[in-house]
Amino acid sequence: MKSISRILMVITILLSSINNFAQIKNLKTETVKIYGNCGMCKTTIEKAGNVKNVATVEWNKDTKMATLSYDDKKTTPNEILKRIALSGYDSDKFLAPNDTYAKLPECCQYNRDLKPIAKSNTTSMDMKNEHVNHNHHEMSKTNTSKDQNVTPLKAVLESYFAVKDALVKTDAATASIKATELEKAIKAVEMTKLSTEEHNVWMKIMKNLTANTEKIAVFKDVAKQRETFALLSKDMYELAKVSKQETPVYYQHCPMYNGKGANWLSKEAAVKNPYYGSQMLTCGSVQETIK
Amino acid sequence: MDIKNISQKILLSIVLLLLVTAQLFAQKVVRYDLYVKDTLVNYAGKEKRAIAVNGQIPMPTLTFTEGDTAEIVVHNQLKESTSLHWHGVFLPNKEDGVPFLTQMPIKPGTTYTYRFPIIQNGTHWYHSHSGLQEQIGMYGNFVMKKRESDKTFRKGIDDLPTVPIILSEWTNLNPNNINRMLHNANDWAAIKKNATQSYAEAIRAGKFKTKLTNEWKRMLAMDVSDVYYDKILINGNNITDLHTVDGKKLKAGDKVRLRVSNGGASSYFWLRYAGGIITVVASDGNDVTPVEVDRLIIAVSETYDIVVTIPNEGVGYEFLATTEDRTQSASVFIGDGIKQLISPLPKLKYFEGMQMMNDMMKMNGDLDDMGMKMSLNQMDMNVVMYPEITGENRQNSNHSNHDIMKIEENSNKYNANALGDITTLNYTMLAAPQSTTLPKEAPVKEMKFTLTGNMNRYVWSMDNKILSEIDKIPVKKGEILRITIYNNSMMRHPMHLHGFDFRIINQHGEKSPLKNVMDIMPMETNTIEFLANEEGDWFFHCHILYHMMAGMNKVFAVDDYQNPYLPNKAKAYKMLQRESNMSHFMGQNDFSTNGNDGEAMLQNARWSLGTEWRLGYGSMHGYEVETHLGRYIGKMQWFMPFVGFDYRYRKMGMDEHEKNIFGQENKKDSRSAVSLGFMYTLPMLVNFQAEVYHDGIVRLSLMREDIPISKRLRAGFMANTDLEYMADLSYILNKNMAIRTHYDSDMGLGIGLRINY
């Protein structure tokens, strides 16, 4: 027993001494710019970059310059900068993920000069909308004739979807804002560019459409917004049916709402119920796919 | 002479012309020569053996156009036999590439030619179907282009620039060793993944009760995958830059079609893109109505064609493939410039997963879906482990408990698309652009398969039968096979059918999508159907390599096909059965201060031959050897009757319990005895063993090994009616070594080094 404890002691001493004497071998240093604001940023950047015995990072919050010291055999500046970007900080090599940047404390929300999109605070949802519009723009190059018909109503539908998404999240404030945007989109429709079919429907529903949209914008209570949204969706459905869509629109039905059920339109086949939100998010079914 | 010469020339040119026109108007023969050779690679810090074809990993991308004839010449320069299977490709059965089922293995040093007409289009891949060669490099893209004149040609999709992508994993361990370790329930992979789920970790997470229930229900630590990989590869690299496609520089607004095949041996991958949404346009080589998603999971051996857009100039957007267990990933940066990263997937909440397993598992090992009719990947039980969907921690969401309650009532607890903002692809979202209905007049043969298996012994089967226990399933040519599959095992399985595409019946009715791989999660029930209009022996199996090798296979024999390459089909099938139930060896010995303690076992899916020994350093401590030959019974294999033989020699003295608790006496110092008995796994994974020896002596014992105390600390105990007992504690150093201390009633306290293989 005695010898065993002695052996153990020797092992412990050996292990601890390895720790004490170790340092970065094959040392190389490099200075690079890392975007950030404050002392808090400094802590995050350095913590993300450091790896014991492999890399150390020292960042200066005034010059935004960082000194990377690393073991040339074990890592590369790219690996260090990637880790730092994944903690939220841009460099000339890497852009941080949008959601990671968005989660940084307010004081750390530095200006993202390197990011090509001007709005640096875009959430992922906004990104998606932009993306869709972008696709749409691309398409318009190839299918010009069809596209001219689509564009004016497309904006209306897109704004409608934004209202719906807000209701899915039971977010009355956003729903109100998005309804205001929908109002604008409705006013912006140039009737001369509509096809005969579209024009007929448009004339029939425009009055109700505008009135209901205004109501949603004014209401502060999500329950009332939803009631109006049910009416709004009926008209939108008629509109969607006659207008040409590039991507399919799904006409969905919730059998429970107000005892008699209600419908809505969605760009996704997956059901996300705007009448109940998270209470019964996937209650409902696709009634019809409009193409 | 002159005239002759001229006429010769004319003749020659006519022949040439004919040849050329033949190429133009009839089928063009596209030939590839593949040289299969052993190589050494260094993907993860160590030089290891791999197999390269034409000097590369992955194997070269083979490209054809519908209407071509493929001629692929395999030159086997390995020291072992090989084969190549064309995954998802319609072809005569003899070209399908399954050794002992559609051909004989390609022997070392020989050349073999596959030749078949290309009668379809789409993204497919090819791989070795011999042993575990697929794990070490034998996978590659197989692309069949659609002709522009095809009436299904989709402008804006089928004319986009395309990039073939094959995903794979690399491990520094020999795959044979991985296979062995899986069967021996070695938890080294869990330690590497930080997924041991030990008692200490459970207590820290406030989940002690969950862990206790889990062991009560006889489950080992749960995970979404079983193998730890050192590196993930996309087209053979961990990180790739994609600046140009077909020589053209990528710019803002460009769309790129990625033809993604999962060539991994056992990993599912999450696919995500930093530049926005992903549009899925085809799966398993079959067009689907474009569907936009934020992410998708690609099952082992599936293929997806996806379209991504480059939003801005001067940025490379990360396309990230992450293993389902989220330990490893690989990326492609699409576009030239500063690299826009996507955030890595957060770690799995394993204890939430364990809780979920506890809820689903009945005491008898069956799964209970609690009335949720699960199908088509809509309900993913694993979402309880996904922080990005269900939040970082349950306790934090107390204020929204009300909502959660309501969701639970609505049984949407596991619907990822309902719970979060992130849209994840599932099979209900796939629809074929055209009708895929099968001929109405064809006779229908209905079948039901239940996927079965148990993690503890790593036995995977269908209807509790492995391939070596079943005959081929006879099918008449022209019949429709409609198969309902229920997954009653704890793991998901990518089920793959050779030679045909099947319809996965979903809510799109006549436009149900065509695929040749169907991922099926635990407790799901899905129905597939296909028209068996090509004769031959077609393999149907789980595409997780280690599940396939464990016997999770069936064969459909469509008519009585005469395969010219297989003169003796019956004998060949015996070989195939044998290969899918190979026995595996396990051994360990503790070199301790008070003696040697160890065991060795040779096992296959049903049988176990094991021997245990305790060897003291002197005759006073004694020598003891027990050997058992047993057969595991039942789906969960908790019960094993056996015959045994014991030998013991010791000089009485130190420990004189010669009477057992039944009052039976045994005074001999030297004893040889034959026994009959059984072993049964009790709740808490305690093994109960009862034995009767030929001299009437009865022995009952209780034992438990490998109680996970902390990440690397294991405990165990044994007690029997001979009043012998033992308790041990070991600390795992690496996959083959542990420091162990134990107290044994015969040999006293010891400390030593345990080596295991």
Side-chain angles (χ1 to χ4, degrees), chain B residues 181 184-192 196 221 706 708 711 714 732:
Chain B
M181 282 161 68
N184 297 333
N186 186 320
D187 58 359
W188 180 242
I191 293 173
K192 289 278 272 190
T196 321
D706 292 331
K711 190 177 165 189
R714 302 287 177 271
I732 299 173

Side-chain angles (χ1 to χ4, degrees), chain B residues 476-509:
Chain B
K476 281 197 206 75
K477 189 176 167 179
E479 259 180 345
I480 290 173
L481 257 63
R482 185 175 297 144
I483 308 170
T484 303
I485 303 174
Y486 169 60
N487 185 355
N488 193 25
S489 78
M490 284 179 286
M491 301 293 287
R492 64 200 301 181
H493 301 284
M495 301 306 296
H496 170 55
L497 174 66
H498 285 213
F500 304 94
D501 280 332
F502 47 70
R503 308 174 72 222
I504 297 185
I505 310 289
N506 67 7
Q507 87 278 23
H508 297 292

